[in-house]
Amino acid sequence: MPGLTALILFSTFNNFLGGVYMALMDAYGLSLVSVQTWGLLWGALSAGLIVGGLCVARTGLSSNPVRLLLLVNVVLWTVTVLFPLRSSIVLLGAGMLIYMVLVPYAEAAEQTILQKVVPYERQGRVFGFAQSVEQAASPLTAFLIAPIAQFVFIPFMTDGAGARAIGGWFGTGADRGLALVFVLTGVIGLVASVLALRSGPYRRLSHHFRTAAAPKAAAETADEDADVAGPR
């Protein structure tokens, strides 16, 4: 399937970066608010997944889910760059709300692409391989990034060169070290998403998706016409 390997690698790379959220989000949030407020905030933000799922059901995924997947990732990584620029729970909450609402679009688009372009008899092995590779990425990053943040970025933004260079506008301290990790992660993800949009595998997978989807759409249209006509 043209471009399918690139899609799996892109999703794995995204999950690899997403491990930063797994490892550092609680520490960053708790540097801004109390445990009680943090728990209540995420209780409210979790509704964003439900809202996102309802929006997917309402709007669909457009005629090119491959492009939609990459555009959603551009927005998600842009949010990751922006919300840590200031020590603000409002910015963090707004960013995470956008993140939670858009994640169902990304997940639905990826699953739709796989189901359309992979032959039915091969879907089990492809889905199993893709999930095993993608899900292994986040815990690996979470395991690695925590000590890096503690021993590199936090000192760097507390009394190190980073604090002296950008501390005047970015801020200093442990929370600013964690914020810098989020910003750098967002920049890397944003660059990767933009490059993916301009890549050959993206164009090939988009073309293959449209080619694979066209016969099914025609068959569904024929079935609907037959239902409307009724038995003769």
Side-chain angles (χ1 to χ4, degrees), residues 153-188:
F153 284 96
I154 289 178
F156 182 72
M157 289 306 301
T158 301
D159 53 11
R164 293 188 293 272
I166 63 174
W169 64 270
F170 191 74
T172 61
D175 64 314
R176 294 289 82 199
L178 299 179
L180 183 60
V181 177
F182 283 118
V183 171
L184 294 177
T185 300
V187 170
I188 295 171

Side-chain angles (χ1 to χ4, degrees), residues 25-49:
M25 180 55 69
D26 284 338
Y28 181 66
L30 291 173
S31 70
L32 302 176
V33 294
S34 66
V35 174
Q36 294 84 350
T37 302
W38 187 239
L40 289 172
L41 177 63
W42 275 102
L45 290 176
S46 61
L49 289 174

Side-chain angles (χ1 to χ4, degrees), residues 104-121:
Y105 276 93
E107 294 296 332
E110 182 182 353
Q111 291 303 311
T112 299
I113 295 163
L114 291 175
Q115 291 176 26
K116 289 284 188 180
V117 303
V118 179
Y120 180 76
E121 65 274 9

Side-chain angles (χ1 to χ4, degrees), residues 4-73:
L4 185 61
T5 301
L7 172 65
I8 295 174
L9 291 176
F10 178 76
S11 298
T12 301
F13 182 73
N14 270 348
N15 284 1
F16 190 75
L17 294 177
V20 173
Y21 278 85
M22 182 185 297
L24 303 183
M25 180 55 69
D26 284 338
Y28 181 66
L30 291 173
S31 70
L32 302 176
V33 294
S34 66
V35 174
Q36 294 84 350
T37 302
W38 187 239
L40 289 172
L41 177 63
W42 275 102
L45 290 176
S46 61
L49 289 174
I50 300 174
V51 173
L54 292 174
C55 290
V56 172
R58 176 67 177 173
T59 64
L61 297 171
S62 79
S63 60
N64 190 352
V66 184
R67 180 176 177 80
L68 178 65
L69 173 63
L70 295 179
L71 290 177
V72 166
N73 274 278

